[in-house]
Amino acid sequence: MNREEQLSHFFDNEKIWDVVIIGGGATGLGCAVDAASRGYSVALLEREDFAKCTSSRSTKLVHGGVRYLQKLEVDLVREALHERGIMKRNAPHLVKDQAFVISNYNYWDNILYFCGLLFYDILSFGFGYGRSRFISAGKVLHYIPTSRRSGLKGGVVYHDGQFDDSRMAINLAQTAIERGATVVNYTAAEKILHDADGKVCGVIAHDTLNNKSYELKARCVINAAGIFVDEVMSMDNTQHSRSIVPSQGTHIVLDMKFLQSDYAIMVPHTSDGRVLFAVPWHDKVVVGTTDIVRPESESEPKPLEEEIDFILSTAGLYMDPAPTRADILSVFAGQRPLAAPKKEGQNSKEVSRSHKIITSENNLITITGGKWTSYRLMAEDAINKAINIGLLPKRKCRTRSLKIHGWKPAPNLSDHLYVYGSDQEAILKIIADSPALAERLSPKYDYTAAEVIWAVREEMAQTVEDVLARRVRLLFIDAREAKNAARRVAEIIAAERGHDSAWIDTQVTTFHSIADNYIV
Ligand SMILES: Cc1cc2nc3c(=O)[nH]c(=O)nc-3n(C[C@H](O)[C@H](O)[C@H](O)COP(=O)(O)OP(=O)(O)OC[C@H]3O[C@@H](n4cnc5c(N)ncnc54)[C@H](O)[C@@H]3O)c2cc1C
């Protein structure tokens, strides 16, 4: 994943790309893997870093969506459960089985949730994780020792998947490149080009690091810009009206002492009718709830104070001791590109999570909505759409059983390097060759200088934020420690890339101001 080498593929401005993809989150990277593995020539443009926006800010679940069953969206749940199974099979180094406990405080809920989750298991037939089961109040306390005891009537255990979202995005970029795609970060689609008939025929790409522009001719352009799809649609048609609404979800990250378990907590019905998850992740607990509609799309959205208070007070009902603001190690918010509601006044809980493909009169294909779990199917549908409208010659999708870069079965989860899968040995070799690179980035965490070197050489990391937010996840795990590590990370990147001390200072200042948003 060498950025300069990838960019050199843009020098030939006579080349006609089969597919140009705008956006390097789950959806765009999925499209790049799909199209490249079918043998099309592919260029993907990401204007910031891969997964900078929504795709690094998820709840980290690979799930069918238990809550959509409540709304009887059976087809949507079946589809996601199927994809959940495929994702674990194709990226077993990143996707693991996660058991959840629903604690019930009345007998009726025991019956209701047990029946619902049996149905969930049936829908996942052939692609299941573990099986759901009813458990006694004693077992609830055994699995989740921090549960509130008074009034506890029992519970249900069910299974979903859990993963590392931005690591998955990097591995998708690597998979696409291995299949022949050209994939670059910090390169924006600035303009959409049209031919004499007004049909989309390419884009102007702007490399923001070197301030250079390239004209890319294309048979097909796919808009996978997440919460920014409307900006890109407006480049195609200035009269375009809004097709998505950003819906913001907030997560807090706490120490494991607030969960004391490998089991996750799922609260199906909070005081305002939303769902709350508390999920173990990299030896911490991520606690979050369903998102709420926001007026504007933001790539670095600020967590809302009232959401933090709501999560803390709701989590406090299920955790003992109840967490306080001082216990928050990191807080992050992400915005979901939800298909815009047809009716005015609909709220985000009511807007469908299914994905949507929109083809403009000029043949711009926009793919929006959906979720991380369905990224592969969304990509398959988008490329099939390009075939069906005659932009690409017909070729079969190959991603159902395509191993994602890093594929390695049964990882050792107690070693923090497990997320690198088959690349783990290469990182250990960096340390074996230069033992000084075993130096830790923080005395509290196992991340090493070798991982920074790896991120720069092999994963296209350009900045301190790229490394600390999306290659290693320290910013999301412990924002204060990430701030402390920033200067050392900047020095390591600078030594690798030949940057001067002014670059280091600017990077540290920039990272500190971003990290301040993750601290309450
Ligand atoms: C709070 C929250 C929790 C979630 N939890 C889960 C979960 O647990 N499991 C699950 O399956 N799903 C979850 N989701 C949904 C999932 O995260 C999203 O559906 C998915 O990440 C969207 O990916 P995307 O690629 O469409 O968008 P993004 O990740 O936002 O990617 C779009 C990219 O396009 C780039 N871009 C924009 N304009 C341009 C341009 N002009 N040129 C080049 N690039 C451009 C942006 O920089 C961005 O990186 C969650 C979502 C939210 C908000």
Side-chain angles (χ1 to χ4, degrees):
M1 262 181 111
N2 180 303
R3 187 171 183 275
E4 286 67 38
E5 193 268 333
Q6 292 288 298
L7 275 170
S8 70
H9 303 171
F10 294 164
F11 296 167
D12 174 7
N13 62 6
E14 289 310 308
K15 177 175 173 133
I16 302 179
W17 297 85
D18 289 325
V19 188
V20 168
I21 298 160
I22 302 172
T27 311
L29 290 165
C31 289
V33 171
D34 185 296
S37 60
R38 295 193 205 210
Y40 301 123
S41 59
V42 177
L44 178 143
L45 312 172
E46 166 51 55
R47 74 174 166 194
E48 299 194 59
D49 184 29
F50 308 115
K52 156 77 183 179
C53 298
T54 314
S55 296
S56 58
R57 301 154 186 277
S58 76
T59 314
K60 330 296 180 202
L61 298 181
V62 180
H63 62 157
V66 176
R67 67 177 184 267
Y68 313 136
L69 264 192
Q70 290 173 331
K71 293 193 277 166
L72 297 177
E73 294 197 56
V74 176
D75 286 342
L76 181 67
V77 174
R78 188 191 294 112
E79 176 186 286
L81 284 169
H82 193 105
E83 290 303 316
R84 183 188 75 160
I86 294 178
M87 199 159 154
K88 183 153 170 267
R89 187 176 67 196
N90 293 348
H93 60 298
L94 285 179
V95 180
K96 70 173 188 70
D97 179 80
Q98 176 64 59
F100 287 76
V101 173
I102 299 180
S103 315
N104 294 326
Y105 291 85
N106 75 57
Y107 289 114
W108 172 241
D109 281 350
N110 276 338
I111 300 167
L112 185 75
Y113 292 124
F114 181 58
C115 292
L117 288 159
L118 271 188
F119 186 47
Y120 195 65
D121 290 353
I122 292 167
L123 289 178
S124 70
F125 184 72
F127 288 88
Y129 285 42
R131 284 176 62 182
S132 304
R133 61 187 202 277
F134 169 75
I135 52 171
S136 65
K139 270 272 188 263
V140 171
L141 291 169
H142 177 67
Y143 291 145
I144 310 280
T146 54
S147 302
R148 185 164 48 91
R149 286 160 189 266
S150 84
L152 187 64
K153 298 287 188 288
V156 182
V157 170
Y158 76 96
H159 293 254
D160 255 327
Q162 197 253 7
F163 78 134
D164 186 316
D165 47 12
S166 68
R167 293 279 340 147
M168 180 79 185
I170 303 304
N171 284 171
L172 287 177
Q174 289 164 315
T175 310
I177 290 173
E178 283 158 9
R179 298 275 151 173
T182 295
V183 174
V184 275
N185 55 8
Y186 296 101
T187 305
E190 275 194 339
K191 195 173 169 198
I192 292 200
L193 304 172
H194 297 92
D195 63 17
D197 298 327
K199 299 294 180 198
V200 170
C201 66
V203 302
I204 300 289
H206 183 71
D207 165 6
T208 57
L209 298 184
N210 297 308
N211 197 19
K212 276 192 188 150
S213 290
Y214 302 93
E215 184 178 312
L216 307 182
K217 298 189 173 72
R219 293 191 170 81
C220 160
V221 176
I222 295 185
N223 171 13
I227 46 174
F228 301 103
V229 283
D230 285 328
E231 269 183 31
V232 177
M233 288 164 109
S234 301
M235 293 179 199
D236 173 46
N237 174 1
T238 47
Q239 306 302 313
H240 163 73
S241 61
R242 192 162 97 135
S243 66
I244 67 117
V245 286
S247 180
Q248 181 164 316
T250 300
H251 293 86
I252 61 170
V253 179
L254 300 169
D255 192 90
M256 268 306 259
K257 76 178 180 201
F258 293 101
L259 190 63
Q260 297 172 31
S261 176
D262 292 338
Y263 285 73
I265 297 175
M266 199 278 206
V267 181
H269 213 77
T270 59
S271 58
D272 67 354
R274 289 192 276 164
V275 168
L276 181 116
F277 289 104
V279 188
W281 188 64
H282 295 318
D283 289 332
K284 299 282 183 265
V285 194
V286 175
V287 192
T289 183
T290 328
D291 28 291
I292 48 172
V293 169
R294 299 290 296 147
E296 255 176 66
S297 297
E298 292 166 276
S299 68
E300 191 62 66
K302 283 211 173 76
L304 301 177
E305 288 300 319
E306 57 270 32
E307 286 292 279
I308 297 172
D309 290 340
F310 174 77
I311 294 170
L312 278 174
S313 61
T314 311
L317 299 175
Y318 296 85
M319 293 174 169
D320 183 15
T324 66
R325 289 178 86 86
D327 297 311
I328 296 176
L329 297 170
S330 181
V331 54
F332 60 92
Q335 295 185 339
R336 189 189 296 272
L338 287 185
K342 293 215 170 69
K343 282 181 271 168
E344 276 302 317
Q346 229 176 0
N347 69 28
S348 112
K349 274 187 295 174
E350 294 161 336
V351 182
S352 174
R353 257 66 172 170
S354 62
H355 63 276
K356 195 168 167 190
I357 296 178
I358 304 160
T359 310
S360 78
E361 272 181 23
N362 308 329
N363 288 342
L364 174 70
I365 296 177
T366 296
I367 173 138
T368 182
K371 53 184 177 159
W372 240 121
T373 309
S374 319
Y375 85 92
R376 192 210 63 81
L377 180 67
M378 293 168 69
E380 181 180 346
D381 288 352
I383 303 300
N384 283 347
K385 172 59 88 178
I387 293 171
N388 292 341
I389 61 172
L391 301 180
L392 296 173
K394 190 168 181 177
R395 285 180 199 161
K396 246 177 85 181
C397 173
R398 310 216 164 268
T399 53
R400 270 167 223 227
S401 52
L402 183 80
K403 290 179 178 166
I404 302 304
H405 180 99
W407 188 94
K408 187 178 171 186
N412 171 10
L413 301 179
S414 61
D415 182 342
H416 84 284
L417 291 178
Y418 81 87
V419 289
Y420 293 96
S422 57
D423 284 337
Q424 192 173 346
E425 277 159 31
I427 295 169
L428 291 174
K429 185 166 182 313
I430 293 178
I431 296 175
D433 291 346
S434 310
L437 294 173
E439 167 200 346
R440 285 182 176 195
L441 302 180
S442 151
K444 291 188 184 169
Y445 296 93
D446 289 338
Y447 302 120
T448 59
E451 288 159 77
V452 182
I453 300 278
W454 179 259
V456 173
R457 288 184 194 163
E458 304 292 340
E459 297 182 341
M460 225 183 263
Q462 307 295 322
T463 69
V464 169
E465 188 207 340
D466 295 350
V467 172
L468 287 174
R470 291 172 293 277
R471 304 309 187 280
V472 306
R473 305 305 304 269
L474 190 54
L475 178 63
F476 286 76
I477 284 167
D478 188 332
R480 289 179 191 83
E481 276 307 294
K483 273 181 88 169
N484 293 340
R487 180 160 294 277
R488 185 68 195 114
V489 171
E491 286 165 0
I492 299 168
I493 302 175
E496 271 291 302
R497 286 265 157 83
H499 297 306
D500 59 15
S501 60
W503 183 89
I504 295 176
D505 290 341
T506 310
Q507 279 289 306
V508 174
T509 312
T510 307
F511 182 75
H512 279 190
S513 75
I514 292 170
D516 284 340
N517 286 331
Y518 293 69
I519 295 171
V520 293

